[in-house]
């Protein structure tokens, strides 16, 4: 089973020829050239913190280099705050010689003031977690026990963290969802979930949704499974993407004999789940794992050929159409407004991921964070917590 969470970390690269072939298969032109780079970033002192919210994102940029035929070199890392207009603010840069240049961005608190990072971690060993105050740069830290992995902040404000204890090794694997405080003390084991595939808090924080072998479990933040919801035909797991609204969960679920997963809307009250997307049979999309409703239609993140990621527009009736973002061999939607998609543009045969805002109706594009010089580029994006509106 795929893991939605794995897509939030460092991204791989795919061949440009794959994207070109996929585009040609449905009669769309492949991008001819990359868009120009972004302008200078504003200083952190210019951030309008009172306006930061839906549509904004934190992005971590790595200046490390590597890839086929390119000398590997460890570089600095920079944390940016990106607004819905495509502008960016420089928050912090850590030199290559600093241990902080190995930090991995994991979560952004609901009060917008803090971010969670982890150092390099090895499963089975304790994980060091760092909390960064975004306005001041102050850092606090704690250590999670061996086998315990960080998922993210609790909701609504991020006063604690959600973790999982154990890993999925088989269809019968059970993993514990746990809540720790920001000093690293275990507060509560919330539930034991069979074949856990992601967990996301409901906006108010009273419950969370967890992907399971046959559907979705709704779990109380006080502990215990409120209800288990089966998704029709699912025997190979559901991954929870996010809460589509305050009462409905967006899940990506796999069934036997299908090439990839499809999207479902799962009512948290136990109502019957409904399929959002059909079974994919190509030519460019073999399964969907996230979706974004714009005024111009429903857009999905999907799996393409040879490990590529694709974007499709799914009409209410009729076939899905591929959306090609200029300058991208592979594309991943990470955030949205009512009219635009925030997209990671992934290069083909070399490192370098840029972050752009793209209007799929007008095809207007603005580069928020560019790439260059064979640097890894954007290695993680954390959108402001989205729950039904953006």
């Amino acid at each position: 089973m795929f893991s939605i969470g794995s897509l939030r970390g460092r991204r791989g690269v795919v061949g440009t020829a794959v994207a070109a072939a996929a585009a040609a298969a449905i009669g769309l032109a492949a991008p001819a050239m990359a868009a120009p780079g972004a302008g200078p970033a504003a200083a952190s002192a210019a951030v309008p913190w009172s306006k930061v919210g839906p549509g904004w994102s934190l992005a971590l940029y790595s200046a490390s280099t590597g890839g086929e035929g390119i000398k590997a070199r460890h570089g600095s890392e920079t944390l940016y705050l990106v607004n819905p207009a495509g502008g960016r603010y420089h928050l912090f840069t850590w030199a290559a010689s600093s241990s902080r240049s190995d930090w991995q961005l994991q979560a952004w608190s609901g009060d917008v003031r803090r971010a969670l990072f982890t150092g390099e971690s090895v499963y089975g060993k304790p994980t060091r977690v760092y909390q960064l105050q975004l306005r001041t740069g102050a850092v606090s830290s704690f250590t999670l026990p061996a086998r315990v992995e960080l998922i993210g902040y609790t909701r609504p404000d991020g006063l604690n963290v959600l973790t999982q204890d154990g890993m999925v090794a088989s269809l019968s694997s059970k993993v514990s969802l746990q809540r720790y405080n920001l000093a690293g003390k275990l507060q509560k084991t919330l539930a034991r979930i069979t074949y856990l595939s992601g967990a996301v808090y409901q906006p108010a924080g009273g419950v969370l949704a967890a992907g399971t072998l046959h559907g979705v479990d709704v779990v109380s933040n006080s502990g215990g499974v409120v209800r288990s919801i089966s998704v029709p035909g699912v025997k190979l797991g559901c991954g929870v993407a996010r809460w589509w609204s305050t009462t409905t969960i967006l899940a990506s679920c796999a069934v036997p004999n299908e090439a990839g997963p499809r999207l479902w809307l799962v009512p948290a009250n136990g109502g019957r789940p409904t399929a959002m997307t059909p079974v994919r049979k190509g030519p460019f999309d073999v399964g969907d794992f996230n979706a974004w409703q714009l005024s111009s239609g429903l857009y999905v993140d999907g799996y393409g050929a040879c490990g590529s990621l694709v974007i499709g527009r799914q009409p209410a009736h009729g076939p899905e159409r591929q959306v090609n973002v200029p300058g991208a061999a592979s594309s991943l939607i990470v955030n949205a407004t009512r009219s635009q998609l925030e997209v990671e543009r992934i290069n083909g045969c070399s490192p370098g991921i840029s972050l752009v805002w793209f209007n799929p109706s007008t095809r207007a594009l603005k580069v928020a964070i560019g790439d260059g010089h064979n640097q890894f580029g954007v290695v993680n994006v954390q959108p402001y917590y989205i729950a039904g509106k953006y």
Side-chain angles (χ1 to χ4, degrees), residues 161-175:
V161 296
L162 180 68
T163 68
Q164 67 176 61
D165 184 354
M167 64 181 297
V168 173
S170 68
L171 294 179
S172 61
S173 295
K174 288 185 177 292
V175 177

Side-chain angles (χ1 to χ4, degrees), residues 357-374:
W357 278 104
F358 178 64
N359 186 315
S361 292
T362 66
R363 299 195 60 78
L365 181 146
K366 184 168 184 179
V367 178
I369 303 176
D371 62 355
H373 308 294
N374 298 314

